[in-house]
Amino acid sequence: MDIGASGVYFFLFLALYFEVFLLISFFEKQPSKKTDARPSRYPTVSLIVPCYNEEKTLAATVESLLALDYPKEKLSVIIVDDGSTDGTPKIASLYANHPQVTSMRKENGGKYTALNMGIEATHAELVGCLDADSFVAPDALIEAVKKFEEHPDTSAVIPAMKVHGPRNMLELMQAVEYTFGIFVKKMFDNLATIYVIPGPFSIYRREVFKVAGMFRHAHNTEDMEMAFRMHEHGLRIRNAHTAFVYTTVPSSVRALVRQRTRWSQGFLQNSMDYKHMFFNSRFGHFGVMVLPVVTAAFVGALYMTAYALYTTISWAGGRVLDHYATQVPPTLALPRLSWFYVDTSTMTLLIILVMSMTLTAILLGRRIAGANFGIGSLLSYFLLYGFIAPLWLAKAFAGAALSKQSTWR
Amino acid sequence: MNIDWRKYALTLLITLAIFGTAYYVASRFDAARVSEIRATEEKIALDILSTETQYDLLGELDCETIAESPVLSSELNTLASQLSVAEGNLGDDNPQVVTLKKQYSLLEIKDYILLQKVSQKCGIKPVHVFYFYSNAGDCPDCDRAGDVLTYLRQQYPDLRVYSFDYNLDLSALETLIDLKGVRDELPAFIINNRKPIYGFRDLSEMEKLIPELKTLATTSASRR
């Protein structure tokens, strides 16, 4: 076996190990079904909407927050305009006289500064934020509050995210990816290892900011850094898998790669900042399992892509040179219809197994979230993801290596 | 924070079991391939033995029967491609692969001998090529030479190509190499029992070396 293939086996082993670990976690504690139960108490909640040039979606976002099934006197919305240059202030001014809405404006300073401004302006028990490109299900807040009530040690609750109205192949691919994410987040909740508190509708106890501090720039991934910091302070993050948030996703490869480069590079750079947590059992499964495995998955995905590219190019290049040297005309060989010629190598079987387990996780995520997508979406995911993801992984890797600042937009 | 290390151990056991199962299943597939190759070889051996016995019984061959069912079974071609798959999967130094290759080489030699008898008795003029290659890494052009011959065999189904691993430890093959005076300068070709030719030849050069190809039907002609 050549060294290249040994590396592939190593990463396949890691991938299988991680998937088995997650599936065991699933069978240990299966997610509960949604109930109509109400919380016994309604804590005060402030939802911050940081926005920068969101004139198209801001109104819908605010409306979805105001439509939340929650006592009005307990719920307030804080719009923080981070120095928008479009019509965002005009949209925000529409809510000037709304009793539940406060509107603030500041010079552009980045999302984390907008969030901090909103946090400082409220005394509510629970503070949430919602990116202006997302919409919440009416009962999402109730479901999140129930989670705080059910587990009083909870410091933050993250929702289950779904893609809002996916249409093209890229959006369908992301819809499946988010469903996979729903499964992974639930399992990370079981293991107390949630490492991102996504912008769309995550709810914090106010004390979090006193204990762990306010949001930081954190390589443009303040929500990830906050999660790392919470783990450092032993603060528990939980997932309310019945609290649904719908987010709009990039519809072009370019926009998607830019978004994911920011996320991935943020992960790498935050991991560097918190490297003392790696393999540190003081931080539980987060330090021992999730941080090392996610980092290894990053390297593994790049390695496998490089290996696949190298073998394909050297094979194709070899064939071209062969045809040139032999003068044998290229023939379009049809696959031979016999099991004898089917690739049944250990590596192929393992790749099929890893993909089957990924499919199982996606289907479990679909069951947990009650998501609905068809074969077309699944095909988009399995056909496209492997080709597009390496683009942002490579960009993020290069960016982190050169300590380049990723861009928001 | 408490970590349940047993879960890590259990996961490791399950993952190892999955890896082991994948390896086992893959090796069962390979074993099934080896069995299939062996069965094909046995069938060809039986065909050749049957023709030889027929010759012994009658003292001469029934040319009509031979013409209807060519000596070189098309299965010998299938066998060649199956062997190369097995070689790729299991490695060319795998003992089972080496045994299968030896049997294959013997069948080729027997087929060649029978072909000589048939051509003398029945007045047919077969076109055949002995092709000697090496897998030992000392013949960079062997794969390409193989490509040229494979293509020619596809174009001219009646062209008989007998390919031999020059380094195969098989006394009958060594005798053949001695008899034909083939040096270890590979790739080497013997066309219709003429003198050995050494070194890689591309398609047009090879076609010039085998003028008898013009007497053979091509696949495109036979399709018509």
Side-chain angles (χ1 to χ4, degrees):
Chain A
M1 189 170 31
D2 62 289
I3 300 169
S6 314
V8 173
Y9 279 112
F10 172 76
F11 286 114
L12 281 174
F13 187 89
L14 265 188
L16 264 179
Y17 186 91
F18 193 54
E19 288 187 326
V20 170
F21 198 85
L22 292 188
L23 284 173
I24 291 177
S25 306
F26 176 81
F27 289 112
E28 273 178 348
K29 191 182 167 198
Q30 296 202 27
S32 53
K33 291 233 159 71
K34 196 170 182 172
T35 65
D36 292 333
R38 309 287 292 183
S40 59
R41 194 177 75 84
Y42 292 94
T44 51
V45 181
S46 272
L47 299 172
I48 304 165
V49 184
C51 47
Y52 177 76
N53 292 350
E54 310 275 4
E55 62 177 359
K56 284 185 189 144
T57 52
L58 178 61
T61 304
V62 174
E63 289 303 326
S64 84
L65 291 181
L66 292 173
L68 279 167
D69 174 14
Y70 206 75
K72 296 208 179 317
E73 67 281 9
K74 300 277 189 179
L75 177 67
S76 61
V77 176
I78 303 173
I79 301 170
V80 185
D81 176 10
D82 189 23
S84 294
T85 52
D86 67 349
T88 302
K90 204 173 158 192
I91 305 288
S93 68
L94 296 177
Y95 296 95
N97 298 320
H98 197 288
Q100 282 177 275
V101 182
T102 312
S103 211
M104 309 167 98
R105 184 168 162 78
K106 60 185 273 298
E107 262 182 42
N108 184 254
K111 187 183 164 187
Y112 76 104
T113 57
L115 284 171
N116 287 341
M117 190 176 188
I119 293 164
E120 278 164 2
T122 177
H123 297 288
E125 288 171 69
L126 300 178
V127 179
C129 50
L130 183 72
D131 289 347
D133 56 359
S134 308
F135 317 97
V136 286
D139 60 355
L141 185 54
I142 290 279
E143 292 299 314
V145 167
K146 272 157 66 179
K147 194 55 85 179
F148 279 106
E149 193 167 82
E150 196 183 330
H151 303 281
D153 66 336
T154 308
S155 291
V157 168
I158 64 166
M161 277 162 64
K162 296 184 184 180
V163 172
H164 178 70
R167 276 183 297 273
N168 70 25
M169 256 182 102
L170 205 64
E171 291 167 333
L172 291 171
M173 175 197 93
Q174 291 174 82
V176 175
E177 186 201 12
Y178 273 67
T179 312
F180 181 48
I182 286 172
F183 171 80
V184 172
K185 268 182 206 149
K186 197 65 224 167
M187 293 312 105
F188 278 12
D189 181 359
N190 284 0
L191 298 162
T193 59
I194 292 171
Y195 70 89
V196 188
I197 311 174
F201 208 64
S202 293
I203 315 283
Y204 300 82
R205 278 194 201 281
R206 239 195 89 79
E207 294 87 64
V208 169
F209 305 107
K210 282 186 194 147
V211 176
M214 303 295 270
F215 283 106
R216 296 173 188 165
H217 177 268
H219 317 288
N220 281 329
T221 42
E222 67 295 316
D223 42 9
M224 193 184 287
E225 194 271 341
M226 180 55 91
F228 279 48
R229 209 174 341 139
M230 285 177 72
H231 280 288
E232 201 177 34
H233 285 85
L235 299 172
R236 180 71 198 260
I237 307 161
R238 283 205 157 79
N239 167 237
H241 60 276
T242 47
F244 297 124
V245 175
Y246 301 89
T247 187
T248 48
V249 291
S251 54
S252 72
V253 174
R254 205 183 153 88
L256 178 68
V257 169
R258 200 181 309 130
Q259 180 197 52
R260 298 313 175 86
T261 302
R262 181 172 64 78
W263 292 0
S264 307
Q265 192 176 327
F267 174 79
L268 286 179
Q269 291 177 312
N270 284 316
S271 297
M272 287 297 287
D273 294 345
Y274 286 83
K275 53 180 178 289
H276 60 280
M277 297 176 93
F278 276 74
F279 301 108
N280 192 334
S281 59
R282 194 155 66 84
F283 305 107
H285 295 302
F286 180 71
V288 175
M289 176 69 135
V290 169
L291 273 183
V293 167
V294 175
T295 311
F298 201 108
V299 178
L302 282 177
Y303 179 87
M304 302 260 233
T305 308
Y307 181 77
L309 269 178
Y310 168 75
T311 46
T312 309
I313 290 172
S314 56
W315 177 82
R319 295 311 298 159
V320 171
L321 288 177
D322 283 350
H323 283 304
Y324 180 73
T326 58
Q327 291 184 23
V328 170
T331 45
L332 199 68
L334 292 168
R336 279 177 275 205
L337 295 171
S338 162
W339 73 271
F340 197 99
Y341 300 100
V342 175
D343 182 0
T344 55
S345 64
T346 310
M347 191 187 283
T348 308
L349 294 177
L350 286 171
I351 290 170
I352 292 170
L353 270 169
V354 168
M355 290 179 83
S356 312
M357 287 177 103
T358 306
L359 179 65
T360 308
I362 290 169
L363 295 178
L364 287 174
R366 191 168 84 152
R367 205 176 78 186
I368 293 169
N372 196 17
F373 54 73
I375 295 286
S377 303
L378 277 174
L379 278 178
S380 303
Y381 178 75
F382 281 104
L383 288 177
L384 290 181
Y385 201 76
F387 290 99
I388 301 176
L391 296 177
W392 70 68
L393 292 177
K395 256 185 106 175
F397 197 78
L402 302 169
S403 286
K404 223 171 85 179
Q405 205 66 252
S406 60
T407 51
W408 253 98
R409 281 150 215 279
Chain B
M1 202 174 281
N2 280 337
I3 291 183
D4 181 7
W5 293 107
R6 281 176 311 174
K7 193 166 162 181
Y8 284 79
L10 176 68
T11 308
L12 182 66
L13 277 179
I14 295 175
T15 313
L16 284 173
I18 292 175
F19 250 68
T21 309
Y23 180 77
Y24 176 75
V25 171
S27 60
R28 293 302 304 158
F29 272 116
D30 284 335
R33 283 195 184 89
V34 168
S35 307
E36 186 156 323
I37 293 173
R38 195 168 287 138
T40 314
E41 284 187 344
E42 279 168 12
K43 189 182 176 303
I44 295 168
L46 210 63
D47 286 351
I48 292 176
L49 188 64
S50 166
T51 314
E52 281 176 343
T53 312
Q54 191 187 7
Y55 183 82
D56 291 344
L57 271 175
L58 301 172
E60 63 177 71
L61 286 156
D62 182 352
C63 291
E64 213 169 294
T65 314
I66 297 298
E68 278 166 14
S69 55
V71 181
L72 182 77
S73 164
S74 65
E75 278 159 337
L76 214 51
N77 287 342
T78 313
L79 194 58
S81 67
Q82 288 185 339
L83 256 177
S84 84
V85 170
E87 224 172 354
N89 287 359
L90 296 165
D92 51 27
D93 51 356
N94 178 287
Q96 282 181 312
V97 171
V98 172
T99 308
L100 291 172
K101 265 172 81 173
K102 284 181 179 175
Q103 283 168 352
Y104 172 67
S105 303
L106 280 177
L107 289 173
E108 285 184 307
I109 297 171
K110 291 196 80 164
D111 186 82
Y112 162 71
I113 295 166
L114 202 52
L115 184 73
Q116 296 303 300
K117 287 181 188 171
V118 171
S119 57
Q120 278 167 17
K121 292 279 177 187
C122 306
I124 44 175
K125 288 180 181 167
V127 185
H128 69 266
V129 179
F130 283 128
Y131 162 50
F132 297 91
Y133 65 92
S134 165
N135 280 340
D138 52 354
C139 179
D141 286 331
C142 279
D143 281 347
R144 285 174 179 171
D147 287 349
V148 172
L149 288 173
T150 303
Y151 178 75
L152 282 175
R153 193 161 61 185
Q154 284 164 356
Q155 294 300 303
Y156 304 95
D158 292 336
L159 171 70
R160 284 134 167 92
V161 177
Y162 299 111
S163 57
F164 299 101
D165 183 346
Y166 190 86
N167 302 310
L168 202 62
D169 182 20
L170 182 68
S171 52
L173 177 59
E174 282 160 14
T175 308
L176 180 77
I177 288 170
D178 284 347
L179 263 176
K180 302 284 180 188
V182 185
R183 299 190 305 270
D184 60 348
E185 294 165 24
L186 305 173
F189 313 91
I190 298 175
I191 297 156
N192 272 5
N193 295 327
R194 294 193 282 268
K195 272 187 184 171
I197 297 157
Y198 299 94
F200 170 74
R201 298 289 193 279
D202 67 24
L203 183 60
S204 57
E205 289 169 330
M206 192 55 89
E207 279 172 333
K208 272 179 208 150
L209 286 169
I210 322 174
E212 296 91 335
L213 284 175
K214 293 189 187 85
T215 65
L216 299 177
T218 61
T219 34
S220 48
S222 59
R223 271 194 216 112
R224 252 176 245 146

